[in-house]
Structures are given as structure tokens and as C-alpha cells.
Amino acid sequence: MLKVCDVTKRYGRFTVLEHIDLEFTPGVYGLLAPNGAGKTTLMKMLTTLAFPTEGEIRYDGVEIGAMNAAYRDLLGYLPQQMGYYPNQTPTQFLSYLAALKGMEKGTVPARVEELLHLVGLTDVKRKKMKTFSGGMLQRVGIAQALLNDPKVLILDEPTAGLDPSERVRFRNIISGLSKDRIVILSTHIVSDVESVANQLIFLKDHKVAGEGAPESFCQDLRGKVFEITLPDTELPQFEQTHAVLSIRQEQNRVHLRFTGGSLPAEAVPAEPSLEDVFLVFYR
Amino acid sequence: MTIQFPSEEQIQASVREICERAPLAKRPTIRSFLRDMSRNLGLRQIFAGTWDVITICCTLFAFVGVVGAVELRTTVDPQQKGSVFLFAFSPVFLFLLFSLSLWKEAEGPVWSIKMTCLYTVRHLMAFRVFCITCLSFAAVGFYTLVLSCVLDLRSLPLLCISLSSLFLYSLIQIQAALSLRSNWAACGLLALWVFGNCAAAQLWPRFYWELLQAVPVLAWIAVDVLLAGMFCNRYGIYVRRACYAEGM
């Protein structure tokens, strides 16, 4: 179990995270927050790239800084900006990182081959990475994070640059991996975590604003989200009195999802989605 | 009130339970570290992304070597100046390589991934220093022999002084890379070597020269071997299963 115990992180006088308490057991955790909310800082602390100013992070009761190499041996990490050496092929790059992850040389080629197949890069395994698209590089990044079969897999905005089919493939990979490991997925794209995360964590104002199963968040919002179609001239006035969650233009009319404010007679209740939850949280 | 103390079996069961936790099991020793790195990483991969830095270092080192040789030819006491020069500057190559490649790694794209691997950039740096030290022995040895032939100096003491300083310095550098969390602290510690030696030679030339003379050159090697032993031992002392259980 990975436990974040009363962690605060400050850079000088600026507090990035304040009194964070979290517990991670095997499963997929979606860390949702808008840009600049401290997601990456939390990810960095979970990967020992940064250390808490106050509090501790423990894995199975042992502080991860004290575990040092033993913790890194359990860790797989995909950073927000996936770095690579342009003149290396994905096979060379993964073999290089496998060596740094302390993997036995004999086991590396088969593992690299397996992972390249998993992320759909077998056809380009001998091409230099400088010729790769952003999505292909991201897939190399996902493969490198899985090299050592990590018990704690931390993915910082993993679907950035992936096209829709690649996103679906990625979600399927994550679902398959989550049985016996902790997967922490940081994103500000709600659809990335909607179908795969068992637990969601919302960060707001440097603190944990909410934590629980996706359904429980939607349940809380049930009966509070409505849809209505209005002439587009009435939209500015409506926006002043209601929290508009989405707008769809339909010729001279607009179809809105909204919450709060007085309920017009034409409004019909709508099933709340996780995106609605996110928008309500960060209004 | 009676306090129930745990029985010996309960204590042993608790120790076993704690020791079964995966994080306490694995602790690489210096030997396994060197073996893993040399077995799993080829020469090209050890220096991946830093070949330009190595080229710069080699060029600068060659330049320093030539300037040093020219300077020594014009001095009145080349034996003394040569010893000081070789003792202080043999590790310059390592210092340059260490600083520049660390800077390059820190600015490079793969830094955060490498820092979360079992063997981090620090381990990689330590291994690079180890490899370069081995290669430098040949280079510095050759340079010293050439210098001693050109200047008609006694080559063996010069050779021992330069090689032992290189070895001593690389040990400090490897230790700093593995032990210190801050890169700047490691670089600063290493810079002290060069500046300390230069300052001592400048401020107290007689004392410094006598020190170099007084200590038999093979004693340097003995000190180095002793330090190497301590280094290996220190690196190996960590929380292991047995230590942890005994500590309970």
C-alpha cells in the first residue's frame, strides 16, 4: 500500500500542496485537476523526483526516501514530457532503460519485443525515434514505464498526443494492468479516466477536494443537472443566472447543460457525467 | 494491571512479517552494481547522449597537457613542478567530464525517467567515472612517460603520483555521486580537490613538495586501496534482512 501522510510541499513561500492525505491500494486512480493545481508536483513526490516539505510518503509502511533503490525498483514512471534520444531506435532506447532498471540482460530482448507489440510499435522497432510522431513517442514512453513490471505505475498525462484509437488502446492496456498494481493516472482530460479509474481524486486550492468512486461523484450530482434548448439571443442572460456546463449550437438555438439557479419550466433533468462533476468542481 | 509481553515466537513472527516485505530484500553492493552495469550496458550505451561532452573534455585535457608540458620545459625545477602539476591536474579530465556530463544529463530530456530507474543518473555517472578512470590510467601513464623522457625526469615516482592521484580522486568522485543528494555539493566537493592542491602548492610550495616527497609513492597506492575497501564496505552497509531482524 502506498500512503501519502499529511504531505505539504512548498517552493519558497509558495505552497503547491497542503496537508495531502491519500491511500493507494492496487487499482487505477485518476488524479483530476486543472493545469497548475499541483498534479505534477504530487506525481514527482510519488516518484522521488521531489521530496515533501512536511509529511511522509510510505510504501508498505516504509518511507520511500529511506527505501531509495528498493522503491525505484518497484516504480514505473511516464513523465509529462516524454524524453528520448532522437538517434536511438525504440529497441535501443528500451534496452538502455532496461539496463538502468537493473533487468537481467538475457531477459531484456524478449521483454522489449513484448512491450513494443503491446503498444503497437513492432513495425517501427528499427526506425530512429526522431522520425516518430508525438503519439508514437508517447507509446514508447508507456512501454518504458512497464519495462520492469512495476508495482507502482505513475503516468503523468499519458494520453497527451494520442489519437482516439490510441487512447482506446491505452485504456485497455491500463485496465489489464490494474489487477495487482497501483496505477496513478494524472490528467485534466476527464474521458481518459472515466472508463478505467476505480477511484478519482480531485485537487483544488492545493488540497484534496474530493476522493471516491466515479459513480459516487455522479450520484452526488444526480437531480442537479438539466438540459434546455433556448434561442441563442437568450444565452448571455441565462449564463448570468445559471452555471452552464456545455453548449451545443443548433441553427438559431442553443442546447445547454446547466446546473444551479432557478429551474425554467422547459428544463429536463439530465444524467450527470464525470465531465459535469469536473466542471462543477472547478467553476 | 498485567502487561502482556509478546512471546519469542510472536516476536520472530513479526520480524519475519517485516522482513518478507519486498523493499527490504534488494540492496545492490558495489560489486553487483559494477557487474550489472558492465554486463548490461555496452560502451555506447554507458555514454549515451554525452559523446559531445567527452570530445570537449578530451580536447581540453589534451590542451592542458600540451600547455603543461611546454610550461615545464621552461621551469628551473621541472621535477618538483612536474610532480605538483601531475598530482593536481591528472584528475582535471574526470572533473570536467563529471561536471559537463552531469549538466548535460540534467538539462537533457531523459533526466526524470533516468532518475526514477533502479540505477539513477548518479549511478550512471559513478560508472562512467569508473570506466574513464580505467581508460585514463593508460592515457595519463603514457603522458607521464613522455613527459619524463622529454624532461629527463625520474619516471616511476611521477607515474605513481599521477596514477594514484587519479585513482584517489575518482574514488572521491564516485562516492560523492552515489552518496550526496545534491549535484552541486558533489561538484563543489570535487572542485575542492583541484583548487586545494593548487592553493597548497602556491601558498606552501616547500611543505607541499616535501609532503609529496616524504610520502613514499607506493603509500599513496596503499591509502587508495584502503579507501577503496572502506568505500566498498560503506556502500554495502544498509538495512538488510539480517541487520533489520537483529536490530529488532
Side-chain angles (χ1 to χ4, degrees):
Chain A
M1 184 208 288
L2 186 64
K3 203 170 175 183
V4 179
C5 313
D6 198 22
V7 161
T8 297
K9 179 69 182 174
R10 290 189 202 95
Y11 290 108
R13 284 183 177 180
F14 180 66
T15 304
V16 185
L17 292 167
E18 208 174 346
H19 302 296
I20 304 290
D21 275 297
L22 292 167
E23 243 181 62
F24 300 98
T25 50
V28 182
Y29 292 81
L31 187 60
L32 274 168
N35 288 327
K39 287 192 305 280
T40 298
T41 304
L42 183 58
M43 297 274 118
K44 282 186 174 175
M45 286 195 290
L46 291 171
T47 52
T48 67
L49 287 170
F51 290 90
T53 314
E54 286 166 27
E56 278 184 341
I57 301 174
R58 293 171 168 266
Y59 183 83
D60 276 356
V62 188
E63 204 268 316
I64 60 171
M67 282 172 70
N68 202 358
Y71 180 68
R72 292 197 305 274
D73 200 22
L74 305 168
L75 191 67
Y77 175 52
L78 172 66
Q80 199 171 358
Q81 299 286 329
M82 158 58 194
Y84 64 102
Y85 294 122
N87 285 319
Q88 283 188 334
T89 65
T91 309
Q92 286 170 332
F93 184 63
L94 292 178
S95 305
Y96 176 55
L97 290 177
L100 292 183
K101 284 172 189 265
M103 292 172 68
E104 283 290 324
K105 198 175 186 180
T107 64
V108 172
R111 181 70 179 152
V112 168
E113 195 70 31
E114 183 191 344
L115 286 169
L116 286 174
H117 177 70
L118 186 75
V119 296
L121 290 175
T122 314
D123 295 344
V124 291
K125 65 180 179 183
R126 289 194 179 85
K127 280 194 174 174
K128 288 190 174 178
M129 288 196 289
K130 64 183 172 190
T131 62
F132 282 17
S133 67
M136 288 161 91
L137 290 171
Q138 198 69 358
R139 282 190 269 164
V140 176
I142 293 164
Q144 68 76 25
L146 297 172
L147 266 171
N148 56 334
D149 197 17
K151 290 282 170 222
V152 180
L153 182 59
I154 295 175
L155 308 164
D156 198 354
E157 312 227 350
T159 53
L162 297 187
D163 65 33
S165 64
E166 285 169 340
R167 276 173 192 238
V168 171
R169 182 199 283 267
F170 168 76
R171 279 180 214 153
N172 294 340
I173 292 170
I174 295 300
S175 296
L177 288 170
S178 62
K179 285 171 198 156
D180 54 350
R181 75 193 79 215
I182 298 166
V183 182
I184 304 170
L185 216 154
S186 141
T187 185
H188 58 272
I189 303 165
V190 177
S191 59
D192 281 353
V193 288
E194 200 158 24
S195 55
V196 288
N198 313 109
Q199 291 280 312
L200 291 180
I201 298 158
F202 286 92
L203 291 179
K204 191 180 182 183
D205 298 333
H206 320 296
K207 291 177 184 165
V208 176
E211 191 188 351
E215 308 81 55
S216 70
F217 286 107
C218 294
Q219 188 68 38
D220 290 346
L221 215 59
R222 191 154 289 154
K224 293 174 188 166
V225 177
F226 300 90
E227 288 180 340
I228 191 168
T229 306
L230 298 171
D232 52 8
T233 50
E234 291 177 23
L235 179 60
Q237 195 186 348
F238 191 83
E239 277 184 319
Q240 284 177 3
T241 52
H242 298 82
V244 177
L245 302 171
S246 69
I247 303 171
R248 196 175 70 234
Q249 191 74 38
E250 291 173 351
Q251 291 181 341
N252 293 331
R253 299 176 73 78
V254 281
H255 184 80
L256 307 174
R257 278 173 82 87
F258 71 96
T259 185
S262 59
L263 195 62
E266 312 85 65
V268 288
E271 189 63 26
S273 67
L274 205 54
E275 198 160 82
D276 296 330
V277 175
F278 185 86
L279 291 168
V280 168
F281 246 104
Y282 296 110
R283 277 195 71 232
Chain B
M1 193 174 96
T2 333
I3 298 169
Q4 290 288 322
F5 286 99
S7 66
E8 189 56 33
E9 288 77 30
Q10 283 172 315
I11 293 171
Q12 286 307 317
S14 302
V15 168
R16 265 199 306 281
E17 189 192 323
I18 292 165
C19 291
E20 282 309 313
R21 289 177 188 167
L24 297 174
K26 198 167 180 178
R27 223 58 236 211
T29 60
I30 188 79
R31 192 186 297 167
S32 71
F33 164 65
L34 291 177
R35 187 193 59 219
D36 287 355
M37 293 294 264
S38 49
R39 201 185 277 172
N40 297 345
L41 284 170
L43 193 65
R44 277 185 68 185
Q45 288 200 322
I46 290 166
F47 296 105
T50 55
W51 283 109
D52 47 354
V53 163
I54 290 169
T55 311
I56 292 168
C57 287
C58 286
T59 312
L60 281 173
F61 194 56
F63 177 73
V64 170
V66 171
V67 170
V70 171
E71 184 66 24
L72 284 174
R73 288 196 74 158
T74 58
T75 57
V76 283
D77 191 355
Q79 179 73 32
Q80 181 178 345
K81 291 271 167 61
S83 298
V84 172
F85 173 73
L86 283 168
F87 190 75
F89 281 93
S90 291
V92 163
F93 178 64
L94 285 180
F95 178 73
L96 276 173
L97 184 86
F98 184 86
S99 317
L100 284 176
S101 57
L102 195 62
W103 170 76
K104 178 116 201 268
E105 290 280 8
E107 296 295 313
V110 199
W111 170 261
S112 58
I113 294 177
K114 281 183 176 178
M115 287 304 281
T116 54
C117 289
L118 175 70
Y119 296 128
T120 64
V121 174
R122 283 178 219 288
H123 293 90
L124 196 58
M125 293 303 300
F127 192 67
R128 280 176 188 164
V129 170
F130 174 79
C131 294
I132 287 288
T133 304
C134 296
L135 294 171
S136 299
F137 264 50
V140 171
F142 178 73
Y143 176 72
T144 310
L145 288 174
V146 169
L147 206 62
S148 60
C149 289
V150 171
L151 299 174
D152 197 24
L153 306 176
R154 283 179 294 138
S155 60
L156 188 63
L158 277 179
L159 191 65
C160 289
I161 283 174
S162 59
L163 294 188
S164 58
S165 74
L166 191 66
F167 186 47
L168 182 68
Y169 181 79
S170 68
L171 278 176
I172 295 172
Q173 202 165 49
I174 291 171
Q175 181 70 64
L178 291 175
S179 314
L180 300 175
R181 215 174 240 186
S182 160
N183 303 323
W184 289 112
C187 286
L189 181 68
L190 301 170
L192 274 176
W193 170 271
V194 176
F195 293 117
N197 277 287
C198 291
Q202 196 68 36
L203 296 172
W204 310 287
R206 184 174 291 176
F207 169 75
Y208 189 78
W209 171 235
E210 279 172 4
L211 184 74
L212 285 184
Q213 289 282 299
V215 182
V217 281
L218 288 175
W220 282 112
I221 302 286
V223 170
D224 294 345
V225 170
L226 190 69
L227 276 170
M230 284 170 65
F231 164 70
C232 295
N233 199 31
R234 255 191 76 189
Y235 190 67
I237 296 172
Y238 277 110
V239 184
R240 292 168 193 233
R241 280 170 184 248
C243 304
Y244 201 90
E246 281 163 21
M248 295 291 289

